[in-house]
């Protein structure tokens, strides 16, 4: 694998080097190559190399450092492009553990009855929720150039292609980093373009291949209305802690989404109009062709006109008379396909026409369904002002029982709740959001998520505000349980909620529950959090089964290990039994969207991995953990949490150390994402969002949130439970996945690099903390290797090992440059060149680490 990718990396690197030389002079090829080769020699046994590189960087000007930083950052991007292209090539696929997931699944399930597999297909549903976060710091235009390079490589498999040379030059002469903070609308456009460029083509391809699997196993085609994939987005809908996401902005995002969708559909319908020229059709279609333009073209003509009108109206921000329901698209397509099948033109019926029907099923009229997310405190505050205005009392001061009684009563009350008055700005914005939901087509929206939900009243409050705004349809409500305590209490909260008959009727036999991976990990450490999430899901399955309600779990995963990220197939296979019966809804965040779905071929493969894992788990569910396993996990989670919190929560110097040893403070001020890095500007570590918390630690390669507490817990448990832990590792997918992800974390951590940040940036009286953490990290790595009976990390996963090794020599210079940029910025804040240098180094490190936020 490495040799094939390295060849393309070398050729791409040569093109980049020549481009730099053309602009800066030939000496820069030697300068950059000398730094790269020196970084190869970095090791604990060779400290002199580090000193020489540090001296060279310290003596360089900001302008010179920018050339180095941009060069290594772009080298890493080109390495990613080469690997992504190779991964989806026939040769590259053959080297993966799961080269062809659906084919592999077919072989695994050869003993399964067609009926059982059909039941799994019926339950299969993947909803991908795109979210924007500061982990994707590269500009959209820059990403586009790399996608073009990958596509050209795919076509020619020749990195010396003139078109690639041109694109490399374009990239070098383009600013990688945006100069202004993106707005939520910018982020929304980015997500929509990802769908238009990638998913729009990947979904029909994937469904064709899934249909082949269905034919092979069940001897049946997938129904024409079968829709196992839907898309949703938090971009321009997530207002939790983001003052820039307003009802007005969300409305504009919806218009933009409908406009892009209409343009895509128009292009496809016009293509279909050209292709469906035949006159062999049913009598119904022939009779309808009064203008004699052709029976199929007649069916498409009015839709094409509607799309053209819609585009012109939406361009002007108008929605009157535009496409407002997906059935307006689906109906003429179904009519054409039914006729084609009836007259024996099966191949035509099951080609472009069927692809378009499946696009309509998946993407609707807006490509994505917009989720709305808001913090529970905002709902409580708004309802408190309402009850005070109505002289009903102070909602915020009532106990939980009183709140529930009031909410249930008001939900049954037919009179309008809201008086005609002027509200505080915060309350008005909350009410405007619900009013927006009420006036838009229902199919534009996904679900309503309540951040930091912890009580039944949190859900009923949203239910009441939806009713008060006049929302005529039953918008799904999803409480988001985030902290460890909230996860532990979630099953009881949901059971009590579903005991309310009127609400049980509202939820219409199914209910979403969102599991938060970010804040639970920040609160309790990765092991206690993931075990808490596992147990929470198990108990929710029991509650929902008893209530005869379908549980639809929504996983708030991120790109990092600490935020629930990692290989999708293994992560899905490690879920508790029964949790996939209601489908899989999962966030795809930041830069991982590009790495997993940025090209049609990547998106298709990712959908293969998701679908094959879900289907396999539905047919052959993973085992429920044994009592001994549970007891051991309880003990390890407790000791892990205690150690984690002893650093993060009870050590008064920890926050100060964190902010000196990482670029967290600078991250908050840089224009990398639309949302502030803290929920509250005056808060401490508890108010810091999990995204910058993880992102900052990944930049200095200590990645504390992804391992702290876990290794020490394993070491304690292993002494007396060696055989039991080996049994868990061999037969329990959850435990195996957790250990595998930790092995990846340890590989990407680097205590030598982390020590350099401390040496240059941390006060002397705080350096002991870094020393303790690095010592713990080193010990934890040995503990894991002992458990796995290995002498090196990723010994049994050569693909991922080689993948990271490919990037290591480009990462080290970026870390040293970042340290220098931080030193200079802290001596002279808001220095534009050093801020630019810091952003480029951040982007490069994020690119090299790949799952950083």
């Amino acid at each position: 694998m490495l040799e094939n990718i390295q060849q393309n990396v070398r050729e791409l690197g040569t093109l980049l080097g020549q481009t730099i030389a053309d602009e800066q002079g030939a000496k820069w090829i030697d300068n950059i190559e000398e730094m790269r080769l020196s970084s190869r020699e970095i090791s604990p046994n060779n400290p002199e190399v580090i000193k020489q590189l540090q001296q060279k960087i310290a003596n360089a000007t900001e302008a010179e450092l920018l050339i180095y930083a941009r060069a290594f950052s772009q080298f890493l991007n080109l390495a990613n492009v080469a690997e992504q292209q190779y991964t989806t090539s026939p040769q590259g696929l053959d080297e993966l553990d799961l080269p062809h997931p659906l084919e592999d699944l077919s072989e695994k399930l050869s003993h399964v009855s067609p009926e059982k597999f059909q039941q799994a297909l019926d339950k299969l549903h993947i909803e991908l929720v795109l979210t924007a976060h500061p982990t994707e710091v590269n500009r959209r235009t820059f990403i586009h150039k790399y996608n073009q390079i990958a596509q050209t490589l795919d076509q020619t498999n020749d990195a010396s292609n003139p078109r690639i040379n041109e694109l490399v030059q374009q990239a070098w002469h383009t600013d990688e980093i945006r100069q202004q903070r993106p707005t939520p609308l910018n982020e929304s456009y980015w997500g929509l373009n990802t769908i238009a460029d990638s998913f729009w083509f990947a979904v029909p391809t994937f469904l064709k291949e899934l249909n082949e699997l269905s034919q092979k196993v069940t001897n049946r085609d997938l129904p024409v209305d079968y829709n196992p994939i839907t898309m949703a987005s938090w971009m321009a809908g997530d207002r939790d802690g983001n003052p820039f996401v307003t009802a007005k902005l969300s409305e504009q995002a919806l218009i933009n989404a409908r406009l892009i969708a209409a343009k895509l559909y128009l292009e496809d319908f016009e293509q279909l109009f050209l292709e469906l020229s035949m006159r062999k059709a049913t009598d119904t279609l022939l009779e309808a062709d009064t203008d004699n333009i052709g029976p199929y073209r007649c069916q498409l003509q009015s839709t094409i006109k509607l799309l053209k009108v819609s585009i012109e109206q939406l361009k002007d921000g108008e929605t009157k008379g535009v496409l407002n329901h997906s059935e307006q698209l689906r109906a003429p397509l179904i009519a054409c396909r039914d006729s084609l099948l009836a007259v024996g033109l099966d191949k035509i019926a099951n080609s472009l026409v069927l692809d378009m029907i499946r696009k309509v099923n998946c993407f609707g009229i807006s490509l994505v369904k917009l989720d709305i997310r808001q913090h529970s405190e905002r709902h409580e505050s708004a309802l408190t002002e309402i009850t005070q205005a109505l002289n009903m009392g102070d909602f915020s001061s009532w106990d939980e029982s009183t709140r529930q009684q009031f909410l249930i009563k008001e939900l049954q009350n037919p009179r309008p709740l809201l008086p005609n008055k002027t509200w505080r700005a915060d309350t008005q914005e909350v009410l405007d959001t619900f009013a927006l939901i009420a006036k838009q087509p229902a199919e534009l929206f996904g679900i309503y998520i309540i951040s930091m939900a912890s009580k039944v009243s949190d859900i009923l409050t949203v239910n009441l505000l939806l009713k008060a705004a006049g929302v005529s349809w039953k918008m799904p409500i999803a409480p988001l349980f985030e902290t460890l305590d909230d996860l532990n209490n979630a099953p009881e909260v949901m059971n009590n909620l579903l005991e309310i008959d009127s609400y049980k009727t509202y939820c219409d036999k199914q209910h979403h529950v969102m599991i938060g991976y970010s804040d639970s990990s920040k609160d309790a450490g990765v092991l206690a959090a993931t075990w808490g999430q596992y147990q929470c899901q198990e108990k929710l399955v029991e509650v929902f089964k008893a209530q005869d309600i379908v549980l639809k779990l929504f996983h708030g995963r991120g790109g990092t290990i600490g935020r629930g990220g990692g290989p999708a197939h293994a992560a899905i296979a490690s879920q508790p039994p029964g949790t996939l019966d209601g489908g899989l809804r999962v966030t795809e965040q930041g830069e991982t969207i590009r790495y997993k779905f940025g090209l049609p071929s990547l998106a298709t493969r990712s959908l293969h991995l998701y679908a094959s894992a879900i289907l396999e788990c539905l047919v052959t569910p993973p085992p429920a953990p044994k009592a001994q396993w549970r007891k051991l996990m309880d003990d390890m989670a407790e000791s892990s949490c205690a150690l984690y919190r002893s650093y993060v929560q009870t050590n008064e110097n920890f926050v100060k150390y964190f902010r000196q040893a990482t670029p967290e403070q600078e991250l908050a001020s840089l224009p990398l994402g639309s949302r502030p890095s803290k929920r509250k500007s005056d808060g401490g570590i508890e108010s810091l969002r999990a995204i910058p918390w993880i992102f900052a630690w990944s930049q200095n390669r200590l990645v504390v949130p992804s391992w702290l507490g876990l290794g020490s817990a394993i070491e304690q448990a292993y002494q007396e439970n060696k055989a039991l832990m080996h049994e868990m590792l061999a037969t329990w997918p959850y435990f195996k996945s957790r250990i595998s992800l930790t092995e990846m974390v340890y590989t990407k951590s680097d205590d030598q690099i982390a020590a350099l940040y401390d040496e240059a940036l941390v006060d002397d009286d705080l350096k002991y903390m870094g020393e303790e953490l690095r010592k713990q990290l080193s010990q934890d790595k040995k503990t894991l290797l002992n458990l796995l009976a290995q002498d090196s990390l990723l010994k049994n996963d050569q693909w991922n090992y080689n993948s990271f090794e490919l990037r290591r020599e480009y990462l080290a210079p970026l870390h040293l440059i970042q340290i220098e940029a931080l030193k200079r910025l802290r001596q002279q804040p808001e220095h534009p060149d050093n801020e630019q240098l810091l952003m480029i180094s951040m982007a490069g490190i994020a690119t090299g680490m790949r799952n950083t936020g």
Side-chain angles (χ1 to χ4, degrees):
M1 161 260 185
L2 197 58
E3 182 179 342
N4 291 287
I5 296 173
Q6 278 182 326
Q7 178 60 34
N8 277 338
V9 170
R10 279 193 293 269
E11 292 182 8
L12 291 169
T14 299
L15 294 177
L16 177 59
Q18 189 57 55
T19 299
I20 297 170
D22 289 344
E23 182 191 46
Q24 300 293 335
K27 69 174 184 177
W28 275 98
I29 294 180
D30 295 333
N31 291 346
I32 292 166
E33 184 66 4
E34 181 183 338
M35 188 173 287
R36 182 183 73 85
L37 292 174
S38 293
S39 71
R40 270 189 182 180
E41 305 303 316
I42 292 175
S43 73
N45 300 323
N46 195 0
E48 196 59 37
V49 175
I50 289 276
K51 289 179 182 178
Q52 291 172 1
L53 282 170
Q54 286 176 315
Q55 190 62 49
K56 185 171 187 174
I57 288 168
N59 292 337
T61 65
E62 281 84 6
E64 291 170 334
L65 290 178
L66 278 169
I67 296 172
Y68 282 119
R70 294 190 67 223
F72 286 109
S73 181
Q74 292 202 25
F75 274 130
L76 283 164
N77 271 294
L78 292 171
N80 283 351
V81 167
E83 182 179 311
Q84 288 171 341
Q85 183 273 331
Y86 185 75
T87 299
T88 56
S89 69
Q91 184 180 358
L93 283 173
D94 286 342
E95 295 180 22
L96 297 175
D97 288 339
L98 283 170
H100 307 287
L102 294 183
E103 292 179 18
D104 292 344
L105 179 65
S106 175
E107 294 175 10
K108 279 185 182 179
L109 303 182
S110 58
H111 63 287
V112 174
S113 69
E115 293 75 21
K116 190 167 185 178
F117 189 71
Q118 184 62 55
Q119 290 171 1
L121 281 172
D122 292 343
K123 289 181 178 180
L124 176 65
H125 186 240
I126 306 162
E127 186 158 23
L128 303 176
V129 185
L130 306 185
T131 67
H133 288 293
T135 56
E136 180 53 280
V137 293
N138 286 295
R139 292 172 57 198
R140 165 71 191 166
T141 184
F142 209 71
I143 294 168
H144 175 73
K145 296 182 192 307
Y146 286 132
N147 286 347
Q148 289 287 303
I149 291 173
Q151 288 171 12
T152 307
L153 261 181
D154 211 30
Q155 295 162 5
T156 66
N157 198 30
D158 179 9
S160 62
N161 182 284
R163 172 60 176 160
I164 292 177
N165 193 358
E166 176 194 351
L167 289 163
V168 169
Q169 287 186 20
Q170 288 182 19
W172 178 255
H173 292 286
T174 300
D175 290 337
E176 297 96 330
I177 311 296
R178 58 182 75 90
Q179 299 302 308
Q180 295 181 327
R181 187 177 292 276
T183 69
L185 274 182
N186 296 144
E187 293 171 338
S188 176
Y189 268 124
W190 179 81
L192 293 168
N193 283 322
T194 297
I195 293 173
D197 293 346
S198 182
F199 283 105
W200 189 256
F201 306 99
V203 166
T205 301
F206 163 72
L207 284 170
K208 284 179 183 175
E209 291 160 353
L210 186 63
N211 189 68
E212 291 173 5
L213 178 64
S214 177
Q215 289 174 329
K216 185 174 182 179
V217 179
T218 70
N219 203 30
R220 283 189 279 181
D221 287 312
L222 300 173
V224 70
D225 60 349
Y226 184 67
N227 184 31
I229 303 167
T230 47
M231 307 294 301
S233 175
W234 279 17
M235 300 176 189
D238 179 6
R239 54 243 310 126
D240 174 17
N242 192 337
F244 307 113
V245 179
T246 63
K248 185 177 181 181
L249 182 136
S250 294
E251 184 173 18
Q252 184 59 53
L254 289 170
I255 289 173
N256 295 342
R258 297 174 75 175
L259 175 60
I260 293 174
K263 289 179 178 179
L264 289 169
Y265 282 125
L266 177 60
E267 186 176 341
D268 277 10
F269 266 85
E270 288 183 331
Q271 175 66 29
L272 192 60
F273 187 89
L274 288 173
E275 296 214 359
L276 295 189
S277 56
M278 61 287 301
R279 289 194 168 272
K280 187 178 182 181
T282 59
D283 290 343
T284 303
L285 260 63
L286 289 168
E287 291 167 6
D289 182 21
T290 55
D291 294 334
N292 201 32
I293 63 171
Y296 299 102
R297 290 176 170 179
C298 176
Q299 292 295 313
L300 302 175
Q301 184 174 236
S302 60
T303 306
I304 290 172
K305 289 179 180 177
L306 174 61
L307 286 167
K308 288 179 176 178
V309 169
S310 297
I311 290 168
E312 293 308 311
Q313 287 285 90
L314 291 166
K315 280 180 180 177
D316 294 332
E318 300 291 335
T319 57
K320 186 176 181 181
V322 305
L323 175 72
N324 62 18
H325 197 284
S326 56
E327 195 57 33
Q328 293 170 284
L329 299 168
R330 189 182 294 108
L333 295 171
I334 293 292
C336 288
R337 183 170 185 270
D338 286 348
S339 173
L340 290 165
L341 291 172
V343 299
L345 300 177
D346 295 30
K347 289 183 179 179
I348 301 172
N350 291 319
S351 183
L352 185 57
V353 182
L354 184 56
D355 285 351
M356 289 180 64
I357 293 170
R358 286 171 170 165
K359 285 181 181 179
V360 175
N361 293 342
C362 175
F363 300 112
I365 61 172
S366 57
L367 296 186
V368 292
K369 295 179 181 293
L370 185 68
D371 280 356
I372 303 294
R373 181 167 82 133
Q374 184 57 279
H375 199 288
S376 58
E377 289 179 356
R378 292 291 299 277
H379 304 135
E380 179 184 312
S381 177
L383 193 52
T384 296
E385 188 174 357
I386 293 169
T387 58
Q388 289 172 338
L390 295 170
N391 296 316
M392 290 179 169
D394 182 353
F395 180 80
S396 65
S397 68
W398 299 344
D399 62 25
E400 176 64 10
S401 176
T402 305
R403 289 187 183 193
Q404 288 187 33
Q405 290 174 24
F406 165 78
L407 291 163
I408 292 169
K409 181 180 177 182
E410 284 300 324
L411 281 163
Q412 301 303 315
N413 196 326
R415 62 144 172 79
L417 175 67
L418 301 176
N420 186 14
K421 73 176 293 289
T422 301
W423 305 100
R424 289 185 300 106
D426 282 355
T427 297
Q428 187 62 57
E429 181 54 46
V430 169
L431 296 177
D432 286 348
T433 298
F434 285 100
L436 170 69
I437 297 168
K439 73 177 185 179
Q440 297 286 346
E443 73 168 276
L444 296 181
F445 293 101
I447 64 178
Y448 196 110
I449 301 108
I450 310 166
S451 295
M452 291 296 173
S454 60
K455 305 180 293 294
V456 168
S457 60
D458 290 333
I459 299 109
L460 293 179
T461 297
V462 171
N463 194 188
L464 179 59
L465 291 172
L466 286 166
K467 172 182 175 288
V471 178
S472 60
W473 54 287
K474 296 176 179 179
M475 186 174 194
I477 302 170
L480 168 50
F481 298 104
E482 300 183 72
T483 67
L484 186 58
D485 285 344
D486 288 344
L487 286 168
N488 291 336
N489 294 330
E492 181 182 1
V493 170
M494 292 309 301
N495 186 63
N496 292 340
L497 177 68
L498 296 175
E499 290 287 351
I500 301 170
D501 290 338
S502 58
Y503 185 81
K504 194 170 184 179
T505 300
Y506 174 86
C507 73
D508 198 22
K509 287 290 184 180
Q510 61 180 26
H511 203 292
H512 289 81
V513 176
M514 185 170 180
I515 302 296
Y517 289 73
S518 309
D519 285 280
S520 57
S521 183
K522 183 162 71 78
D523 170 46
V526 65
L527 183 60
T530 55
W531 181 232
Q533 293 149 12
Y534 189 97
Q535 292 177 298
C536 172
Q537 293 177 64
E538 282 187 311
K539 292 171 184 174
L540 284 170
V541 168
E542 295 174 5
V543 166
F544 276 69
K545 186 175 182 181
Q547 293 284 356
D548 193 26
I549 300 288
V550 175
L551 170 62
K552 301 183 78 67
L553 279 168
F554 179 13
H555 300 271
R557 293 180 180 273
T560 65
I561 308 304
R563 302 196 60 245
H569 198 279
I572 291 167
S574 68
Q575 297 302 305
T579 53
L580 293 168
D581 287 356
L584 176 74
R585 197 178 206 263
V586 61
T587 53
E588 296 290 353
Q589 304 193 355
E591 85 284 2
T592 58
I593 296 173
R594 175 158 57 111
Y595 298 146
K596 291 166 69 173
F597 306 107
L599 298 169
S601 57
L602 288 173
T604 302
R605 174 162 174 79
S606 293
L607 292 173
H608 282 176
L609 289 168
Y610 272 119
S612 61
I614 294 169
L615 288 168
E616 184 174 352
C617 289
L618 288 171
V619 173
T620 55
K626 297 179 180 179
Q628 306 99 299
W629 300 355
R630 290 183 185 279
K631 176 64 170 63
L632 187 56
M633 283 303 305
D634 287 341
D635 293 342
M636 287 196 295
E638 184 178 349
S639 65
S640 169
C641 183
L643 179 68
Y644 176 86
R645 286 177 172 172
S646 72
Y647 278 95
V648 176
Q649 294 183 6
T650 62
N651 189 318
E652 60 182 15
N653 290 323
F654 186 81
V655 173
K656 189 175 179 182
Y657 167 74
F658 163 59
R659 289 179 170 150
Q660 289 185 17
T662 73
E664 183 268 332
Q665 297 175 85
E666 291 78 12
L667 177 64
S669 65
L670 297 175
L672 300 180
S674 73
R675 193 166 66 174
S677 64
K678 292 183 180 180
R679 288 187 169 97
K680 297 177 182 178
S681 60
D682 59 347
I685 201 76
E686 75 288 344
S687 69
L688 186 71
R689 288 190 174 280
I691 306 295
W693 162 249
I694 299 268
F695 187 81
W697 281 117
S698 71
Q699 290 285 305
N700 80 344
R701 298 287 287 283
L702 200 50
V703 288
V704 164
S706 299
W707 59 265
L708 183 58
L710 190 153
S712 61
I714 291 176
E715 183 178 26
Q716 291 176 32
Y718 191 64
Q719 305 302 320
E720 298 179 2
N721 301 278
K722 186 174 182 179
L724 186 61
M725 290 183 76
H726 282 297
E727 179 187 52
M728 292 162 63
L729 194 59
T731 59
W732 189 17
Y734 162 79
F735 191 68
K736 181 179 180 180
S737 174
R738 174 48 42 201
I739 296 301
S740 175
L741 294 178
T742 304
E743 190 178 5
M744 178 69 77
V745 167
Y746 290 158
T747 302
K748 293 189 175 184
S749 66
D750 191 316
D751 49 4
Q752 187 178 14
I753 293 291
L756 297 176
Y757 280 78
D758 280 14
E759 178 185 313
L761 303 169
V762 175
D763 292 343
D764 288 342
D765 63 339
L766 295 176
K767 287 180 178 175
Y768 76 94
M769 295 200 69
E771 292 170 3
E772 289 181 9
L773 287 167
R774 293 192 298 275
K775 183 178 179 182
Q776 184 68 59
L777 174 61
S778 179
Q779 180 58 44
D780 289 353
K781 288 181 180 180
K782 293 176 183 176
T783 297
L784 188 75
L785 290 173
N786 187 33
L787 172 66
L788 295 172
Q790 294 175 192
D791 55 13
S792 61
L793 294 167
L794 294 184
K795 187 172 184 178
N796 298 318
D797 187 356
Q798 285 300 301
W799 176 279
N800 277 311
Y801 175 79
N802 289 334
S803 173
F804 190 66
E805 284 300 303
L806 188 67
R807 295 163 176 76
R808 193 183 293 276
E809 64 197 52
Y810 304 111
L811 275 166
L814 284 169
H815 286 293
L816 296 175
I817 291 169
Q818 183 176 96
I819 291 168
E820 183 65 27
L822 287 168
K823 281 171 61 178
R824 296 183 187 186
L825 269 175
R826 291 177 186 181
Q827 292 168 0
Q828 187 181 355
E830 298 184 9
H831 187 289
D833 288 344
N834 284 321
E835 286 187 334
Q836 182 75 358
L837 187 59
L838 180 59
M839 284 191 286
I840 289 171
S841 69
M842 281 183 171
I845 292 168
T847 297
M849 295 285 280
R850 296 195 62 155
N851 47 2
T852 58

